[in-house]
Structure formats: structure tokens, C-alpha cells
Amino acid sequence: IEEAITTMNTNIIPKWDKNIEIIKKSNKIENLPTELLERNRLLLEYCDLKIQLLELIKKSIIFDIDKYDKEIELIGSKTDSIIDLANSL
């Protein structure tokens, strides 16, 4: 369990943060097509949700409770919707 939490904190979450940083930098490029800006907006939302999901999973593991299960499912549904939207662009 400790190894999973450590991996989330030192590897997985920082990579999602890096993705956010990359997307924000790309948004600063001049004359980006509207479609790309919209896709980036969706990707930012997706990354934020993934971080929220990981934080909830960590809490669920640390406290060994299912209190966060509904929130985890909701975030999973939201990320699925974002993928569908991004694929439709």
C-alpha cells in the first residue's frame, strides 16, 4: 500500500501536472485553430479530473474505506465523457 501511495505521489501525479503544464504552454502559441484550443480545454479538464481521481483513490487506500466510491465513479464517468467529446472534434 505504501508503495502504491508513494508511486502516485512521486511519479503518476507529477506526470499529470506536467501534462497540464505542456497543454497550457501550447495554448500560448499564436493563431491556434479553435478546434485545437477546444481539445486542449478538454485535455486540461481531463488531467484535472485524473488528479482528483488519484487523490480520492489515495484517500480510499490510506483510510481503507469505500466512502469515496461514488465520487470515484462520477469522475470516471466525467473522464469518459471528455474522451467522447474530444474524439468527436
Side-chain angles (χ1 to χ4, degrees), residues 30-86:
E30 290 185 32
N31 302 317
L32 282 177
T34 305
E35 297 84 17
L36 184 56
L37 290 170
E38 176 61 14
R39 184 174 294 257
N40 282 355
R41 184 191 67 75
L42 291 170
L43 286 171
L44 284 171
E45 187 177 349
Y46 182 83
C47 291
D48 285 336
L49 287 169
K50 284 297 194 177
I51 292 169
Q52 289 176 36
L53 179 66
L54 287 165
E55 294 294 342
L56 288 172
I57 290 171
K58 282 186 344 186
K59 287 179 184 178
S60 185
I61 292 170
I62 290 169
F63 300 114
D64 193 24
I65 54 174
D66 58 1
K67 174 181 175 181
Y68 304 103
D69 287 357
K70 288 188 180 191
E71 284 179 82
I72 289 170
E73 285 181 36
L74 178 62
I75 290 174
S77 294
K78 287 180 180 180
T79 57
D80 289 346
S81 295
I82 290 171
I83 291 170
D84 290 342
L85 278 171

Side-chain angles (χ1 to χ4, degrees), residues 4-16:
I5 300 298
T6 299
T7 300
M8 284 185 216
N9 286 333
T10 61
N11 191 10
I12 300 171
I13 293 173
K15 286 184 179 179
W16 283 110

Side-chain angles (χ1 to χ4, degrees), residues 20-37:
I20 290 170
E21 186 180 313
I22 291 167
I23 296 164
K24 286 181 177 180
K25 281 184 182 178
S26 73
N27 281 343
K28 293 178 182 177
I29 298 171
E30 290 185 32
N31 302 317
L32 282 177
T34 305
E35 297 84 17
L36 184 56
L37 290 170

